[in-house]
Amino acid sequence: MEFDKTQTFGNLARSFAGESQAGLRYQFISQLAMKQGYKTLSDEIKYIAHNETAHAKIIFDTIIEKNGNTDNIDISAGYPFEGDSIENGLLAAAEAEAAEIKIYRQFSETAANEGFKDISDLFLRIADVEERHETIFRYLYEHFRNGTLFSGDKDIIYECSNCGFRFTAKQAFSVCPLCKVSQGFVKIKLPE
């Protein structure tokens, strides 16, 4: 059977579209966070957007390697975009990542059944990264929604991403005592 007629080929094409769209969606959320003064939140989201774009390139390169060209590729994913607010964007991103994990595990099984072990492994590796992304987005969503992005129940070392000033407290400074940037520049403590 020709590679471009396999389910795995179609799954790669859908994955390329999905990862490309995710990268762009997360860039929009990142820009919204930056406009509202959340520099480090913007940076964290931008980092994940970069990951998603890298996934798209890896998948596209795999399509070209296996197929030899881009003829007859139907590339569509159709994920909705919820970017009217940072909170809604973070929740939508977490839910999209959760869906991607399931999808990539299914795609991996299909690729293995069709004899493409390397592509099956690729899908599983991407699913592992998406699992981390979901954890981060859920954490950011919960803490943003609850107003605890820059506070905790116990003393935490907060660091200014602009000048490096460090401060230990239950709540981050609202204005950096050293360089006077806003709280939005405080590095966010992400879950391990």
Side-chain angles (χ1 to χ4, degrees):
M1 173 182 283
E2 293 177 46
F3 181 68
D4 66 348
K5 306 280 191 265
T6 65
Q7 222 178 341
T8 296
F9 178 81
N11 290 344
L12 282 167
R14 283 184 53 209
S15 298
F16 169 75
E19 294 295 312
S20 298
Q21 288 179 1
L24 287 173
R25 283 194 320 270
Y26 301 163
Q27 283 288 342
F28 287 125
I29 300 166
S30 171
Q31 288 176 1
L32 185 58
M34 183 61 96
K35 285 180 185 174
Q36 293 184 25
Y38 294 98
K39 187 215 181 288
T40 55
L41 176 60
S42 173
D43 290 346
E44 293 297 340
I45 297 166
K46 193 181 302 180
Y47 175 76
I48 294 174
H50 175 80
N51 290 169
E52 299 294 320
T53 303
H55 296 170
K57 181 177 180 344
I58 292 163
I59 292 165
F60 186 78
D61 291 347
T62 301
I63 291 170
I64 299 302
E65 175 190 323
K66 293 290 185 185
N67 197 51
N69 61 57
T70 56
D71 296 344
N72 303 318
I73 297 177
D74 176 19
I75 297 179
S76 60
Y79 295 111
F81 176 60
E82 303 291 339
D84 60 331
S85 71
I86 296 170
E87 185 176 325
N88 288 343
L90 292 171
L91 178 59
E95 291 172 352
E97 295 298 314
E100 285 181 357
I101 296 163
K102 292 176 188 171
I103 289 168
Y104 283 128
R105 294 198 189 290
Q106 291 169 350
F107 286 179
S108 172
E109 188 176 316
T110 298
N113 290 340
E114 289 184 340
F116 301 108
K117 171 125 177 57
D118 56 336
I119 296 173
S120 175
D121 292 345
L122 172 69
F123 283 134
L124 288 177
R125 285 190 297 273
I126 292 173
D128 288 344
V129 175
E130 303 301 3
E131 199 166 329
R132 174 73 178 139
H133 290 170
E134 179 195 8
T135 299
I136 292 169
F137 277 126
R138 287 210 187 278
Y139 175 87
L140 293 173
Y141 166 72
E142 287 298 325
H143 287 274
F144 187 84
R145 182 175 64 108
N146 295 332
T148 57
L149 201 54
F150 302 109
S151 65
D153 296 337
K154 58 184 179 181
D155 281 353
I156 299 172
I157 298 172
Y158 293 100
E159 183 176 343
C160 177
S161 67
N162 187 53
C163 71
F165 178 79
R166 295 177 76 163
F167 180 82
T168 302
K170 288 186 172 85
Q171 175 141 0
F173 44 80
S174 57
V175 175
C176 177
L178 180 58
C179 70
K180 310 298 185 219
V181 296
S182 72
Q183 189 178 63
F185 281 76
V186 172
K187 288 185 179 179
I188 296 171
K189 304 290 183 188
L190 296 175
E192 292 299 319

